Amino acid sequence: MLKLGVNIDHVATLREARYKGVTGGAVPEPDPVWAAEIVELAGAHGITCHLREDRRHLQERDLRLLRQTCRTRIDLEMAPTPQMVRIALDVKPEVCCLVPENRQEVTTEGGLDVVGGFKHIAAVVKQLQAGGREVSLFIDPDPRQIQASAKTGAEFIELHTGTFCNATGAAAERELERLIRGAKLAHRLGLRVNAGHGINYQNIHRILLIPHLEELNIGHSIISRAIFAGLSQAVREMLTLMAGYRDRHGGSRGQR
Ligand code: PXP
């Protein structure tokens, strides 16, 4: 079954827009920890969140409470920094997804450069695995990045679908082809394959053409839909759209 991890950072973004730096008085809302509860009850398979260095949305308090309340699994997106490694080894999310981080960006813009930063990234993968974490690398569907990712020993890659999701016409077809070829290569190299970024209710049927997928991580579109439809309904609608995946590709290799 293709799994859904819902990224709840966007709930924290709304909270921070009103309450950043406010102490005392009103209870800061909306709370991403409550959101995670609703997401799980609606049938999602996991909670995805990103503790950024600038703490612009999720706070350490959120992550620690999520660890206590989450009944599915936590996929923590994190920069490969010593501070984040320390936090991850302490909080113990099931999966650590290494992502590049740039203070100026609105959201994670490109994939991790595993080729350029191989030594450092491979060392971080080993440190996290030694602490019992599974590791995923968020990368563009570039064969060199996929090969380097396999060499780090990481269990997963998460294919960055953002370029495809933002493209139209022939460019979108080319990007989808790259994702399909990338997933096949990763699978041949023994990597488990997730995907995420920019996936929405309109493009999901094209994303389902990518083989060997185990999980999709989706945030913005689900939280946006939740404003009008409610969070449970938004999650259930996405799960319904994802439900045909197993038939087309014969399911994925791993379970977690
Ligand atoms: N996967 C990764 C690694 C991300 O950084 C993000 C954005 O935080 C997502 C998935 C979810 O992207 P979106 O909010 O566009 O669905």
Side-chain angles (χ1 to χ4, degrees):
M1 184 208 299
L2 179 59
K3 294 177 188 163
L4 173 63
V6 177
N7 184 316
I8 51 151
D9 296 343
H10 307 273
V11 177
T13 298
L14 185 56
R15 178 191 60 193
E16 297 302 303
R18 171 58 71 98
Y19 289 105
K20 192 167 192 75
V22 175
T23 52
V27 176
E29 61 184 8
D31 192 325
V33 182
W34 294 9
E37 179 79 20
I38 294 168
V39 161
E40 289 188 326
L41 288 172
H45 305 92
I47 302 300
T48 305
C49 58
H50 185 175
L51 187 64
R52 295 186 75 105
E53 188 197 358
D54 62 12
R55 304 292 192 266
R56 69 172 72 156
H57 39 56
L58 204 80
Q59 307 298 313
E60 226 178 294
R61 165 266 185 206
D62 302 326
L63 180 61
R64 292 186 184 279
L65 279 178
L66 281 171
R67 180 63 293 169
Q68 290 173 43
T69 58
C70 182
R71 271 163 279 183
T72 54
R73 63 107 194 92
I74 299 175
D75 182 341
L76 175 65
E77 296 172 6
M78 53 179 272
T81 62
Q83 187 208 36
M84 279 312 305
V85 170
R86 262 197 312 280
I87 292 174
L89 290 176
D90 186 33
V91 174
K92 301 183 172 49
E94 281 73 10
V95 180
C96 296
C97 179
L98 301 183
V99 300
E101 217 176 89
N102 165 7
R103 271 178 181 260
Q104 313 310 324
E105 68 194 1
V106 174
T107 178
T108 315
E109 274 160 12
L112 197 64
D113 181 7
V114 186
V115 175
F118 183 81
K119 237 176 114 178
H120 173 64
I121 291 168
V124 171
V125 169
K126 284 198 176 45
Q127 254 184 304
L128 291 168
Q129 288 174 333
R133 308 305 98 211
E134 288 191 310
V135 184
S136 178
L137 303 177
F138 181 57
I139 56 168
D140 291 317
D142 170 343
R144 291 172 320 134
Q145 297 293 347
I146 295 167
Q147 276 151 358
S149 297
K151 286 191 191 132
T152 65
E155 286 85 358
F156 292 89
I157 55 165
E158 179 173 330
L159 287 172
H160 189 328
T161 49
T163 309
F164 163 70
C165 293
N166 288 329
T168 54
E173 293 312 309
R174 275 198 304 278
E175 284 304 323
L176 185 59
E177 263 313 307
R178 284 181 78 210
L179 287 162
I180 291 171
R181 281 198 304 272
K184 287 181 179 166
L185 172 61
H187 182 69
R188 275 203 305 278
L189 295 173
L191 286 158
R192 295 164 71 180
V193 185
N194 297 334
H197 217 284
I199 300 174
N200 61 31
Y201 296 82
Q202 286 75 38
N203 61 29
I204 178 74
H205 68 287
R206 309 278 292 148
I207 293 290
L208 299 187
L209 297 173
I210 304 168
H212 308 304
L213 291 177
E214 211 165 299
E215 180 166 306
L216 300 179
N217 286 315
I218 308 180
H220 187 87
S221 65
I222 291 179
I223 303 303
S224 301
R225 175 98 185 108
I227 291 173
F228 302 109
L231 187 50
S232 299
Q233 176 71 12
V235 171
R236 285 198 300 267
E237 284 176 18
M238 185 56 83
L239 286 167
T240 302
L241 292 171
M242 287 165 55
Y245 185 72
R246 180 189 273 274
D247 297 339
R248 209 168 314 169
H249 297 294
S252 57
R253 261 180 344 123
Q255 295 292 325
R256 64 171 200 246

